[in-house]
RNA sequence: GUGGUAGUAGCUCAGUUGGUUAGAGCAUCGGUUUGUGGUACCGAGGGUCGCCGGUUCAAAUCCGGUCUAUCACCCCA
């Protein structure tokens, strides 16, 4: 028959239920932090992404020409859409803007562990706010979301870095701005590539200075203590003016770091300049969250991108944000046993003693539903024993038997399946009594 | 897009040097049980052995291709 397309997942109820529970946690966490949810089109003009990310991205997009001859693409991310909406609203928006999305995005890439072609991302962004307190807030919200999913700060690491430190470093090393992207890319690869390969890759860009450069990079990358940042940068410069700039930068970083600590992330957030992130547009702090073992793909990542909104919309606005993907999150929660396996049946089940009793049973069903008690029953005729078995397997907590005997005496046995206790209740009192049995059974 | 590994029931897997009608556990359905569930026992359904082709008297088994999954590259917004 027909298989699902590569990288697209199916969610039968038991998996969908769990994913939804996690999504509710993400949404409520965003609420807690004062973020408001928005959404945008699933299909956008192809150029929206090409202009932002360059022509190479076309290979990684689901795109096609529509019947009106427009080149369109399934959204691979939300940032351009966000920038357009915010840019269009411009000055009328009360700042800072704190918005989030939780929706599906699409990238035409080869699927592998932690990466699908269709995935849901939890995006958090704060716009119109230059203070790095906003960057700390975004990270704190992701951390809170992970904790509310059942993880602890022992289970993951937030590796925080800062693009400005690398830019400053490259400037002090005397490397011209046009070579920065290649250098940043090399620094990013350092974690995975052997020194020989890395050197071979970078030598065409930097020439003879490559070995010395990589040595300095390794030194800076290994710094885990904020106090060592300034001495290191000062060791690269002699001019007073350079040192003043460096001191200013480090002071700004420390302010950011202090907000991160005050928000209670000290146990999981570590300075790690090995985090660079691929994109050229980051302008400040950047971060990635990994499982504590360090294995696997990032759970979340993001950073400050102060010039991107202007590039997409023409309106200048500071911005910082990040995204958390459902694929890696669900994998991790599953491996930690944090996905629930409870049954999803209705709270109450009606055992019906023959077709003559069915109309009354259906009335009772609707009565209970009006009381907010989820209720179901079998459509076909079956013995009480079978119906109890069915009730039990469906996960119901209470069974009400409805047969000719009960209808005649107006006494309906309400059985609590967990305790085995059974009480007798009249039609009139069913709603309240069943509700109290359900509540009392907690 | 490039390379390595794998694919047998819904799930987890067994299947001998190629040899009769491809098995088990779990799950599903039915029964023991036509007025009370979980346990237990009995039984049933479910397979083109991923797909296509080749070798052979004979292929789940060997070979080639392909699809899918997975891992490593590329990329990671």
């Amino acid at each position: 028959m027909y298989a699902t397309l590569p990288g697209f997942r199916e969610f039968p109820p038991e998996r969908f239920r769990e994913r939804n529970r996690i999504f509710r946690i993400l949404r409520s966490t965003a609420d807690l932090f004062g973020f408001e949810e928005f959404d945008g089109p699933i299909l956008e003009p192809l150029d929206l992404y090409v202009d932002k990310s360059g022509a190479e991205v076309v290979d990684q997009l689901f795109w096609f020409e529509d019947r009106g001859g427009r080149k369109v693409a399934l959204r691979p991310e939300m940032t351009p859409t966000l920038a357009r909406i915010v840019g269009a609203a411009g000055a009328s928006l009360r700042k800072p803007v704190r918005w989030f999305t939780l929706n599906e995005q699409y990238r035409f890439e080869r699927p592998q562990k932690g990466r699908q072609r269709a995935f849901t991302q939890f995006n958090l962004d704060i716009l119109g706010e230059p203070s790095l307190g906003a960057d700390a807030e975004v990270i704190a919200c992701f951390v809170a979301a992970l904790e509310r999913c059942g993880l602890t700060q022992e289970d993951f690491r937030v590796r925080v870095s800062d693009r400005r430190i690398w830019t400053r470093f490259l400037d002090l090393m005397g490397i011209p701005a046009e070579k920065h992207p290649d250098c940043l890319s090399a620094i990013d690869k350092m974690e995975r590539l052997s020194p020989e390969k890395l050197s071979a890759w970078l030598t065409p860009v930097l020439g003879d200075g490559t070995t010395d450069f990589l040595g300095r990079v390794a030194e800076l990358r290994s710094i885990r203590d904020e106090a060592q940042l300034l001495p290191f940068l000062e060791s690269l410069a002699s001019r007073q003016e350079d040192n003043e700039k460096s001191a200013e930068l480090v002071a700004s970083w420390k302010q950011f770091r202090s907000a991160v600590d005050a928000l209670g992330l000290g146990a999981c957030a570590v300075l790690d300049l090995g985090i660079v992130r691929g994109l050229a547009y980051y302008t400040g702090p950047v971060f990635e969250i990994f499982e504590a073992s360090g294995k696997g793909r990032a759970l979340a990542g993001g950073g400050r991108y102060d010039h991107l909104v202007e590039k997409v919309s023409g309106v200048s606005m500071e911005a910082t944000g990040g995204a958390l993907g459902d694929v890696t999150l669900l994998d991790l929660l599953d491996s930690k046993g944090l996905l629930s396996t409870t049954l999803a049946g209705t709270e109450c089940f009606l055992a019906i003693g023959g077709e003559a009793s069915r109309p009354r049973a259906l009335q009772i069903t609707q009565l209970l539903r009006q009381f907010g008690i989820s209720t179901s029953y079998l459509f076909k005729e079956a013995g009480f024993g079978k119906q109890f078995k069915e009730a039990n397997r469906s996960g119901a907590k209470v069974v009400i038997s409805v047969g000719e005997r009960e209808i005649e005496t107006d006494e309906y046995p309400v059985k609590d399946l967990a305790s085995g206790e059974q009480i007798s209740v009249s039609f009139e009192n069913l709603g309240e009594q069943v509700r109290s049995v359900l509540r009392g059974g907690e």
Side-chain angles (χ1 to χ4, degrees):
Chain A
M1 289 305 287
Y2 300 103
T4 52
L5 257 15
F8 284 76
R9 295 166 292 167
E10 289 174 319
F11 293 90
E14 65 274 12
R15 288 184 55 208
F16 192 70
R17 185 167 66 235
E18 263 317 283
R19 194 171 76 145
N20 252 342
R21 185 176 68 82
I22 299 303
F23 285 0
R24 274 195 293 275
I25 292 173
L26 298 180
R27 284 200 164 92
S28 71
T29 309
D31 281 347
L32 268 186
F33 281 73
F35 288 87
E36 287 191 283
E37 188 167 10
F38 77 99
D39 203 353
I42 205 168
L43 205 58
E44 292 274 17
L46 178 61
D47 284 344
L48 178 63
Y49 304 113
V50 174
D51 288 347
K52 181 209 153 201
S53 305
E56 316 82 58
V57 290
V58 170
D59 293 336
Q60 308 190 53
L61 295 178
F62 275 94
W63 73 273
F64 57 95
E65 198 165 293
D66 74 9
R67 292 163 75 180
R70 287 172 284 258
K71 287 184 176 174
V72 296
L74 288 174
R75 61 182 174 207
E77 57 168 327
M78 289 305 294
T79 309
T81 303
L82 168 67
R84 184 185 56 209
I85 298 173
V86 169
S92 70
L93 282 172
R94 186 169 43 82
K95 298 184 188 62
V97 172
R98 294 169 168 247
W99 284 6
F100 83 95
T101 56
L102 183 65
N103 57 27
E104 197 164 50
Q105 294 155 39
Y106 309 86
R107 295 177 190 174
F108 193 80
E109 298 179 292
R110 175 165 295 210
Q112 43 183 275
K113 188 154 199 73
R115 183 162 80 183
Q116 299 287 326
R117 287 180 170 179
F119 53 92
T120 296
Q121 277 204 145
F122 176 50
N123 292 269
L124 295 170
D125 289 279
I126 298 179
L127 298 100
E129 178 53 67
S131 162
L132 299 189
D135 301 64
E137 184 85 338
V138 166
I139 295 172
C141 188
F142 282 123
V143 169
L146 294 176
E147 290 184 295
R148 285 154 60 93
C149 285
L151 296 166
T152 70
Q153 291 195 17
E154 304 296 310
D155 292 323
F156 54 86
R157 283 280 160 281
V158 186
R159 302 169 66 188
V160 284
S161 173
D162 196 323
R163 271 296 179 84
R164 296 172 305 169
I165 294 174
W166 282 115
T167 305
R168 187 88 201 99
F169 167 78
L170 295 174
D171 285 344
L172 290 173
M173 291 292 287
I175 292 169
E178 69 268 17
K179 291 185 177 174
H180 284 194
D182 279 336
C183 291
L184 289 172
S185 181
I187 294 162
D188 192 31
K189 290 184 200 313
M190 218 168 192
E191 201 155 311
R192 305 182 296 274
L193 256 51
S194 67
E196 297 77 28
K197 280 188 179 171
L198 197 60
S199 184
W201 192 84
L202 199 56
T203 300
V205 181
L206 295 182
D208 294 343
T210 302
T211 309
D212 178 52
F213 172 79
L214 288 175
R216 295 289 190 175
V217 169
E219 215 175 317
L220 181 49
R221 269 179 56 105
S222 67
I223 292 179
R224 291 289 175 276
D225 177 1
E226 275 83 1
Q228 293 173 19
L229 283 176
L230 190 53
F232 177 81
L233 292 175
E234 283 174 347
S235 76
L236 299 175
S238 49
R239 292 190 302 170
Q240 181 63 24
E241 180 190 334
D242 277 334
N243 286 339
E244 277 168 16
K245 273 191 188 171
S246 297
E248 200 178 316
L249 170 58
V250 170
S252 162
W253 164 268
K254 282 183 175 167
Q255 193 185 6
F256 163 65
R257 179 69 215 195
S258 129
V260 168
D261 288 338
L263 288 164
L265 313 184
C268 61
V270 292
L271 169 67
D272 185 342
L273 295 170
I275 296 299
V276 176
R277 293 186 63 75
L279 272 290
Y281 60 71
Y282 287 111
T283 58
V286 290
F287 70 94
E288 289 188 358
I289 305 180
F290 286 86
E291 188 183 343
S293 69
K295 290 180 183 164
R297 308 180 67 81
L299 291 161
R304 178 161 285 268
Y305 52 100
D306 281 340
H307 307 315
L308 188 67
V309 175
E310 180 165 22
K311 187 174 177 185
V312 172
S313 71
V315 175
S316 171
M317 198 181 300
E318 306 88 347
T320 181
L324 178 147
D326 73 323
V327 182
T328 43
L329 177 62
L330 290 171
D331 279 353
L332 175 58
L333 293 177
D334 195 20
S335 75
K336 297 274 181 190
L338 291 171
L339 294 184
S340 165
T341 53
T342 55
L343 292 169
T346 56
E347 299 167 288
C348 183
F349 196 93
L350 259 64
I352 304 172
E355 287 310 303
S357 308
R358 187 169 291 268
R360 187 57 163 169
L362 297 189
Q363 281 178 3
I364 293 172
T365 304
Q366 291 294 64
L367 171 76
L368 293 170
R369 288 170 176 163
Q370 279 168 13
F371 271 79
I373 299 162
S374 65
T375 307
S376 74
Y377 53 89
L378 287 186
F379 295 116
K380 66 183 176 191
E381 199 169 355
F384 277 89
K386 186 162 175 60
Q387 294 186 72
F388 268 77
K389 183 179 282 193
E390 185 61 34
N392 190 63
R393 296 203 311 173
S394 78
K397 295 179 178 59
V398 162
V399 176
I400 302 172
S401 301
V402 182
E404 289 175 30
R405 229 154 61 196
E406 288 78 11
I407 293 170
E408 200 158 315
T409 59
D410 189 36
E411 286 184 0
Y412 298 92
V414 175
K415 183 166 184 176
D416 180 333
L417 287 179
S419 67
E421 283 171 29
Q422 185 165 296
I423 56 175
S424 203
V425 182
S426 67
F427 179 84
E428 195 178 32
N429 296 323
L430 268 175
E432 282 174 25
Q433 289 294 312
V434 172
R435 184 186 275 172
S436 89
V437 169
L438 286 169
R439 289 236 183 94
E442 292 289 64

